[in-house]
Amino acid sequence: FIYSLIVRGTLPAHPALLAAMPVGIWLEAIILSQALASRIKQSERAVIDANKRAIDNLALYRSVFDNALEGLYQMNLGGRLLSVNPAFAQMLGYQTADKALRDSHNAVGVLFPNPDQQLMLLASDGQLQEEAGFANVSGQQVHVLHHARLVHDVSGEPQHIEGTLIDIRERK
């Protein structure tokens, strides 16, 4: 500000005023760096808060997924199970969800006994809903309502299949 007054001729070009210019620049740099640091800290707090909310939401989703009465699964387009909940494993006769995932090929074979026909329907309609009866790996007869849907990414490309199994043995 002082420099602009000197250039305009409002203030005389006194050596003390000219010596004050670097001090002014230095003070301006300090003020700007403080403002920038404050903005960075504010952004960091927002990111930390967003990450905390994401972790809380993931924990809530995982709790709902694990405790659902319906069998829930995610499967890649190659036919491999990516994730299953304990209810899914129990319906198919497995002791744990991990065992169902390790035996993914057989589990998928039970869900999709006619894969070509079922996957064509899934590809054309985006979803599949059917009643299925089968003997699980424990030899127990199971009747389920199987619902599957094709999940797409943001660009519209098929990403994976999500599905549910609802036990309808009592109804049968």
Side-chain angles (χ1 to χ4, degrees):
F1 177 74
I2 293 172
Y3 180 71
S4 65
L5 291 177
I6 292 172
V7 170
R8 289 182 59 208
T10 308
L11 286 177
H14 190 273
L17 292 176
L18 293 175
M21 280 191 344
V23 173
I25 292 172
W26 180 72
L27 288 173
E28 183 181 6
I30 289 174
I31 291 169
L32 288 175
S33 66
Q34 291 294 325
L36 182 60
S38 174
R39 180 72 177 172
I40 289 171
K41 285 181 184 179
Q42 183 182 16
S43 295
E44 286 175 343
R45 275 193 300 272
V47 168
I48 289 170
D49 290 345
N51 284 342
K52 184 180 179 330
R53 283 192 308 275
I55 289 169
D56 291 345
N57 288 338
L58 182 60
L60 177 63
Y61 166 79
R62 194 68 209 178
S63 176
V64 169
F65 184 79
D66 287 341
N67 295 308
L69 297 175
E70 297 86 14
L72 303 173
Y73 70 90
Q74 288 183 333
M75 181 176 73
N76 69 10
L77 298 177
R80 194 178 113 255
L81 290 173
L82 302 172
S83 178
V84 301
N85 71 345
F88 176 93
Q90 183 181 20
M91 283 183 208
L92 270 66
Y94 296 98
Q95 293 176 345
T96 65
D98 288 336
K99 288 184 180 181
L101 289 173
R102 282 195 296 271
D103 196 23
S104 179
H105 181 71
N106 289 333
V108 170
V110 168
L111 295 175
F112 294 93
N114 303 314
D116 293 335
Q117 177 187 0
Q118 290 169 305
L119 293 177
M120 289 297 286
L121 182 62
L122 192 57
S124 65
D125 293 350
Q127 63 180 354
L128 166 75
Q129 185 165 334
E130 61 188 4
E131 287 188 16
F134 55 86
N136 65 19
V137 295
S138 303
Q140 183 181 20
Q141 196 62 24
V142 179
H143 291 280
V144 296
L145 178 62
H146 177 208
H147 181 263
R149 72 181 184 95
L150 192 57
V151 177
H152 297 84
D153 62 13
V154 293
S155 64
E157 293 295 315
Q159 187 177 18
H160 65 275
I161 298 168
E162 291 181 346
T164 61
L165 299 178
I166 299 173
D167 189 344
I168 57 171
R169 283 182 277 190
E170 288 182 19
R171 191 176 83 186
K172 286 290 189 178

